[in-house]
Amino acid sequence: MGELRLMKGNEVIAEAAIRCGCDAYFGYPITPQSEVMETLMARMPWEETGMVVLQAESEVAAINMMYGGASAGRKVMTSSSSPGISLMSEGISYMAGAELPGVVVNVQRGGPGLGTIQPSQADYLQATKGGGHGDYRLIVLAPSSVQEMNDFVDLAFELSFKYRNPAMILTDGVIGQMMEKVELSDFKPRWTDEEVERLNGSWAATGKKPNRERAIKTSLELVAEKQEIINQGFQAKYKKMQEEEVRYEMIHCDDAEYIIVAFGVSARISQKAVDLLREQGHKVGLFRPITLYPFPSKIINQMADKVKGFLSVEMNSGQMIEDILLAVSGKTKVDHFGRMGGVIATPGEVVDAMLTKLIGG
Amino acid sequence: MAELQLADIIKPENKVYGKSKIMTDTPLHYCYGCSHGVVHKLIAEVIEELDIQEETVGVAPVGCSVMMYNYIDIDWMEAAHGRAPAVATGYKRVNPKKYVFSYQGDGDLAAIGTAETMHAVNRGENIVMIFINNATYGMTGGQMAPTTMVGQVTSTSPYGRNVDINGYPLRITELLAMLPGAAYVTRQSVHTPANVRKCKKAIRKAFENSAKNIGTSFIEVVSTCNSGWKIDPVAANQWMEENMFPFYPLGDLKDGERDSFEQFSVQKLKK
Ligand SMILES: Cc1ncc(C[n+]2csc(CCOP(=O)(O)OP(=O)(O)O)c2C)c(N)n1
Ligand code: SF4
């Protein structure tokens, strides 16, 4: 049993980073996630593990510092909230193009523009369809508890190094700000220089060695035919992710006639709605995608043969529903319920939506 | 007199000049007369002389030198437009023992990347920053740069740079020299053999500084872009001397180490 604590989601991100052997955090303050860097600065991990924590001049700089640290074969991360992630999109695209690992945490707030500091899930499409320019995808993990904020930091690093692709933890202001019991991970030491060489020496720019080709971390290839081959490599990687990395949770789905699909805090709210609907005698289940990319399309497609309808519950105007519709392929009804602009739906509203849009309708 | 044979001339003891081992055999893609190639050569020579090939990592910019990693035989990172100082910072912070340098044009360093430039120097990152000021955007076809001279014709200032519309040429090196994080700030050129030698000394000093952890070393090289300026290389050198040097005077602007700043640090706020 690991160390038990009562902590805020954002603080846990910081603690988990230190414990999983992260080498550097680069960030810029923005509500509702400033506690990540504040916690790190107060913890002074450079004294303990040697981890670097640096407040950058902007999110643009922070993500490019990550590009540098990741090029060295090191575990680097950043966190921000929606407007900051937009600024990072350029750098994320370059990292994906140069096949660099790294973890980006988005504690979403309502938008567009400066929007609000209240929680939201309106960056779903930005996160899952790439966000920046070019044909790339991020590995996107959606925690729905403070415990998963802890667990997914290490997992995100593992996946991002496995695929040499940036990974995003897509969370929201509720999960970031709320306090819950959490079992913290045990400490893993940071990689030594030798370990970096052994694990990542085949691609990282660790200084030109006589025994290997020199490493050039770039996303540039001007010859169209060669650039296409590089892109085909990315697509092969994404296909492998779709085959091997899909993660989800199913609650009461075995006998369900209707299924709510929800991630993050919406899944927590929907879980309560499922209980209320079951109390009323409706066979409703909850399907919670944990990887938003790769999206659990196959299993949703299979469930679509059996159920009478899916309700996508999201804190946005209906973004994940696009992926559900593609997965369902017209086999059954799909509808959406969401609040926007930072408003958090209540379980009662979800119940009503299920009754009026699907069960009754 | 017996005819001189080639073999009599090409002998090790007659060698006066050679290509640095750190330069690859890839032919440079630069226009004839361009300053970029000369500065590349100097960097390669310094890396060879200091014997730091394995310890050095470069950050290439977006601009004509975007593919400079093809020419200098070390590990490289290719940054987004303007972001090289942030990339260099990230690398250096996780690998403090490495020699890290960035190389940028004026558009990259003094327009789109101004924030990253200022803050890297202001933090006193222990990196080497090399700045090629050719008063234009070479790569995209000779548009106006932040350093374009007043009156200078470019493709986006076809009637000459007009301060009322375009503002003033930016002496960013003077600004950077004011920052406490800077250790060494100098302005050089490579248009004569004497200046090439001086510039090499400056680059060498900058790399040596980087091992001493005394702050940022920044070298501006006032350069020509004869293609962008649409004149021949000789005329370009002359134009640079006559028009750029008065505004961008050569020489050291700061030579020391980053400030301790003790006189300005404050007490903790009492709660
Ligand atoms: C975000 C972004 N904006 C614009 C460009 C187009 N672009 C490429 S190079 C360049 C200017 C480079 O000029 P400079 O930095 O002075 O270098 P030079 O080519 O003169 O060496 C521009 C605007 C780009 N690649 N990326
Ligand atoms: S366009 Fe200008 S900067 Fe670019 S290679 Fe030619 S001369 Fe050099």
Side-chain angles (χ1 to χ4, degrees), chain A residues 56-327:
Chain A
E57 62 270 32
S58 68
E59 290 87 349
V60 176
I63 193 74
N64 284 286
M65 289 171 183
M66 274 186 64
Y67 187 105
S71 294
R74 289 280 171 188
K75 284 186 180 178
V76 291
M77 74 181 281
T78 188
S79 63
S80 186
S81 180
S82 312
I85 299 292
S86 291
L87 274 183
M88 287 184 187
S89 299
E90 179 202 47
I92 295 174
S93 165
Y94 277 71
M95 286 181 74
E99 296 196 80
L100 293 173
V103 175
V104 177
V105 183
N106 181 1
V107 186
Q108 296 167 91
R109 57 189 249 182
L114 203 48
T116 167
I117 59 171
Q118 302 301 324
S120 166
Q121 295 180 321
D123 303 345
Y124 176 91
L125 287 175
Q126 183 197 46
T128 58
K129 310 300 168 194
H133 61 285
D135 235 339
Y136 74 93
R137 293 289 188 271
L138 302 175
I139 299 156
V140 184
L141 300 173
S144 74
S145 63
V146 172
Q147 184 63 53
E148 284 185 341
M149 293 286 256
N150 173 79
D151 303 347
F152 288 2
V153 172
D154 197 26
L155 178 63
F157 271 120
E158 188 192 312
L159 294 174
S160 83
F161 274 85
K162 178 172 173 189
Y163 290 94
R164 260 203 283 142
N165 197 71
M168 178 176 278
I169 296 178
L170 186 71
T171 181
D172 56 72
V174 181
I175 308 284
Q177 291 296 328
M178 75 183 184
M179 291 183 95
E180 278 188 313
K181 186 176 83 173
V182 55
E183 183 186 345
L184 295 172
S185 303
D186 292 336
F187 280 91
K188 269 204 262 188
R190 284 176 52 234
W191 287 329
T192 60
D193 287 350
E194 293 68 40
E195 280 170 315
V196 169
E197 205 54 59
R198 180 165 54 76
L199 297 167
N200 307 324
S202 63
W203 57 268
T206 54
K208 187 202 145 114
K209 307 283 176 303
N211 60 351
R212 69 152 162 82
E213 287 276 294
R214 63 212 181 89
I216 300 166
K217 304 325 304 169
T218 180
S219 56
L220 179 71
E221 175 47 68
L222 289 175
V223 181
E225 287 72 20
K226 289 190 190 168
Q227 185 59 262
E228 186 179 44
I229 291 169
I230 293 171
N231 266 271
Q232 284 163 349
F234 296 159
Q235 294 308 317
K237 203 159 79 165
Y238 305 147
K239 190 159 177 274
K240 187 161 183 253
M241 289 176 197
Q242 282 161 11
E243 281 158 10
E244 295 180 13
E245 306 303 345
V246 170
R247 287 166 168 78
Y248 52 83
E249 185 187 16
M250 295 206 271
I251 296 170
H252 301 314
C253 284
D254 289 347
D255 66 339
E257 292 175 347
Y258 295 93
I259 288 181
I260 295 176
V261 186
F263 66 96
V265 68
S266 293
R268 295 289 286 271
I269 294 159
S270 298
Q271 199 173 332
K272 180 76 188 162
V274 166
D275 293 343
L276 294 172
L277 283 159
R278 288 226 163 222
E279 277 168 26
Q280 295 176 22
H282 301 293
K283 288 188 173 158
V284 176
L286 172 67
F287 181 83
R288 178 169 77 90
I290 291 172
T291 49
L292 300 180
Y293 191 89
F295 191 70
S297 305
K298 228 181 246 171
I299 176 84
I300 291 180
N301 183 277
Q302 286 162 10
M303 290 191 299
D305 291 326
K306 288 180 259 163
V307 302
K308 294 183 186 159
F310 291 97
L311 183 69
S312 182
V313 177
E314 317 167 56
M315 284 162 68
N316 58 42
S317 65
Q319 299 193 10
M320 181 174 64
I321 190 174
E322 293 185 8
D323 285 330
I324 301 171
L325 282 165
L326 276 175

Side-chain angles (χ1 to χ4, degrees), chain A residues 90, chain B residues 36 62-65 81 105-108 112 134 136-140:
Chain A
E90 179 202 47
Chain B
H36 274 304
V62 174
C64 273
S65 48
H81 197 16
D106 40 67
D108 200 77
I112 195 166
N134 59 16
T136 193
Y137 284 14
M139 188 187 206
T140 38

Side-chain angles (χ1 to χ4, degrees), chain B residues 4-118:
Chain B
L4 206 57
Q5 296 295 311
L6 213 56
D8 297 327
I9 305 168
I10 304 176
K11 283 183 187 160
E13 60 267 33
N14 289 344
K15 184 174 171 183
V16 289
Y17 181 80
K19 177 173 84 66
S20 164
K21 277 188 296 205
I22 308 293
M23 288 298 277
T24 65
D25 291 330
T26 312
L28 298 177
H29 71 278
Y30 300 112
C31 310
Y32 297 115
C34 175
S35 312
H36 274 304
V38 183
V39 182
H40 289 15
K41 180 193 85 149
L42 298 182
I43 296 169
E45 287 175 359
V46 166
I47 293 172
E48 183 176 353
E49 284 166 23
L50 296 176
D51 193 19
I52 54 172
Q53 184 181 18
E54 268 190 47
E55 285 78 51
T56 305
V57 177
V59 188
V62 174
C64 273
S65 48
V66 64
M67 283 184 284
M68 76 181 288
Y69 48 72
N70 287 337
Y71 311 128
I72 302 183
D73 191 19
I74 53 171
D75 277 1
W76 281 95
M77 293 168 276
E78 158 49 33
H81 197 16
R83 318 296 178 218
V87 171
T89 297
Y91 190 97
K92 180 75 181 183
R93 290 286 179 130
V94 298
N95 259 339
K97 286 196 202 114
K98 286 278 192 303
Y99 293 83
V100 184
F101 74 92
S102 59
Y103 182 104
Q104 301 176 267
D106 40 67
D108 200 77
L109 181 137
I112 195 166
T114 311
E116 287 79 8
T117 301
M118 298 282 290

